[in-house]
Amino acid sequence: MRRADLTDRAAVAAALADVDAVVHQAAMVGLGVDLGDLPEYVRCNDLGTAVLLSEMARAGVQRLVLASSMVVYGEGAYSCPDHGPVRPAARTVDDLSAGRFDPGCPVCDAALCPELIGEDAPLDPRSVYAATKVAQEHLTAAWVRHTNGTVVALRYHNVYGPGMPRDTPYSGVAALFRSALEAGRAPRVFEDGAQRRDFVHVRDVAAANVAALTATGERVGGQAGKRAGWRAYNIASGRPVTVGEMAAGLARAAAGPPPVVTGEYRLGDVRHVVASPARAAAELGFQATVPLTEGLTEFATASLRG
């Protein structure tokens, strides 16, 4: 086992000796605390990826599985009763402060219906972290064109499970809720708790990586026996819930206090992002198997990282 900074070219080169494929999970995660985090996000996520790709090209390693994220989409997919599929603008401080959390139609301002988002949707990053994940995807796509390599980009949705980091503002919402419950505090749910997400267990994410790694050597994008270059996949359960429902389920599993809906917000957050997992099922043979109730029961007492 090696431990090294991904921006260290010599260390990366040494780690690539006798390697056939790379599964790239390294990243600084979360929305960030303030814009002072921006240089470190870019250094870790984008410079680190650039060094890795450069050294992979030098070593002749042509297979990559990239841990991407649902955040590349920004808001999820929506439709307006009168104008069909639309992309809402970023939410404003005025609207959020007034408790108007759901975006309106950009044409008529009517209420929108959230729908499943597919991998071909336009990318619209709305946080520093999201911008670095889009950059990772673009860097790997450029690498494919220059090397004839193969990249499978796995767009993880809300991952939860044993081993998540605890008590850090960079954690996902599941870890923050779990840490609060462990300390005897009620989970604090932002906005009105009705924002929709797709929570996928870490074991399912691991299985998706195995499927993607197999696919880079066998079949990607429906092309048997032929490299397909670059391809993205939603990695999700296909069973979306609200953040409030998830917090309540975790509180029950932990026998802790019920969640408190605070009305607070973060400007970089988006309202609804739920995925279509159909492409991953059809092309990678991947389907999530851990039900949320079962996963939350385990997560309520699982060990976390300090």
Side-chain angles (χ1 to χ4, degrees), residues 152-164:
V152 173
L154 302 179
R155 292 175 178 165
Y156 300 159
H157 285 250
N158 288 73
V159 181
Y160 73 100
M164 291 187 75

Side-chain angles (χ1 to χ4, degrees), residues 98-115:
R100 294 188 293 268
F101 300 122
D102 283 292
C105 174
V107 180
C108 66
D109 203 35
L112 298 175
C113 178
E115 299 182 340

